[in-house]
Amino acid sequence: MRIGILGAGMIGGTVGRLWADAGYGVTFGVRHPERLRPMLGEFGGKARAGSAIDAVDGADIVLAAIPFRAWPDVAAEIGATLGDKALLDATVPDPPRDGAFGDAALARGDGVAFAVAPLLPRAKLVRAFSTVMWTTLQSQAHRAGDRIGIPLAGDDKEAVALAARLVADAGFDPVVVGPLSQSRRFDPGAAVFDSDMSGPQVRAALGVV
Ligand SMILES: NC(=O)c1ccc[n+]([C@@H]2O[C@H](COP(=O)([O-])OP(=O)(O)OC[C@H]3O[C@@H](n4cnc5c(N)ncnc54)[C@H](OP(=O)(O)O)[C@@H]3O)[C@@H](O)[C@H]2O)c1
């Protein structure tokens, strides 16, 4: 399975490294692929870099790890190529960095996912990797004992199952919370957001059995 990753910064680069270590091929989609050359050398031949279209085109599944404000432009660029593929979305609005688009997403009340979903109506959207800081992902993957919990929500059961497998292979405990409408329960401001809770703690906090 090949994974496309939009963005190769703190989240994209960290999760990409964990997937490459797990044996997956990853293609980063960024605006300046040439700048990634030094970093790619550390991926043991498992990673490539190209445009956003390059990353999406050859991928079985895509992770979005771009600034939230970039969504309108990126969605317009990749929409036709992405089609109905599974899209794991780690993006989070961060005021004031993400401008009016980010502010509007946070003000919706039904979940920031619903600011993104209409931009890519055919994609099988799954919120994933949106709650845990990159330093925790980097230092706590595959830890002994209870692993860090990663809440997931999406409407397509197969896409959510695939996301859960990829979360586990990256070294974390996938917590399937429910359909996309449940993702607001782990948006910014929620108890589990940026909490470094373990999987069992996330399940208890969100009432997931
Ligand atoms: N950092 C965290 O701990 C953390 C935790 C949870 C969720 N998140 C969310 O994850 C997303 C990524 O965060 P990050 O910390 O990884 O950001 P980052 O380190 O700034 O990386 C952003 C990546 O996106 C690319 N990018 C920037 N502007 C773009 C644009 N206009 N169009 C397309 N690509 C663009 C950048 O590469 P180019 O400039 O070369 O295109 C870069 O590789 C954000 O939405 C953030 O809120 C972050």
Side-chain angles (χ1 to χ4, degrees):
M1 183 160 59
R2 187 143 203 107
I3 307 171
I5 304 182
L6 301 171
M10 292 177 267
I11 288 293
T14 301
V15 178
R17 172 76 65 96
L18 293 169
W19 281 334
D21 288 349
Y24 293 104
V26 301
T27 305
F28 293 105
V30 290
R31 294 168 301 173
H32 307 286
E34 68 288 351
R35 293 185 191 161
L36 291 191
R37 207 165 291 141
M39 183 178 110
L40 294 183
E42 300 164 15
F43 279 74
K46 289 273 177 203
R48 305 197 284 249
S51 66
I53 293 284
D54 293 332
V56 171
D57 197 19
D60 302 293
I61 187 165
V62 175
L63 169 71
I66 52 171
F68 199 80
R69 65 174 180 279
W71 262 127
D73 289 342
V74 171
E77 183 184 355
I78 66 164
T81 308
L82 182 70
D84 64 357
K85 291 183 187 188
L87 174 67
L88 311 189
D89 184 14
T91 66
V92 177
D94 183 10
R97 181 193 70 180
D98 292 313
F101 183 69
D103 291 346
L106 289 169
R108 297 180 59 92
D110 58 352
V112 303
F114 293 99
V116 175
L119 303 176
L120 295 161
R122 293 174 57 211
K124 300 180 180 102
L125 190 63
V126 182
R127 292 286 293 168
F129 290 106
S130 58
T131 58
V132 180
M133 295 303 105
W134 74 281
T135 44
T136 302
L137 296 175
Q138 193 179 56
S139 65
Q140 302 295 307
H142 301 284
R143 75 179 184 191
D146 288 340
R147 291 180 171 189
I148 292 284
I150 304 278
L152 303 171
D155 292 336
D156 186 277
K157 284 197 162 48
E158 275 181 34
V160 172
L162 189 49
R165 187 174 126 202
L166 290 174
V167 166
D169 288 347
F172 307 102
D173 185 352
V175 178
V176 177
V177 180
L180 199 60
S181 59
Q182 292 292 309
S183 64
R184 66 176 166 72
R185 300 179 64 214
F186 54 91
D187 269 351
V192 301
F193 188 82
D194 191 14
S195 66
D196 288 356
M197 286 184 193
S198 66
Q201 289 171 324
V202 173
R203 283 186 190 87
L206 295 178
V208 174
V209 282

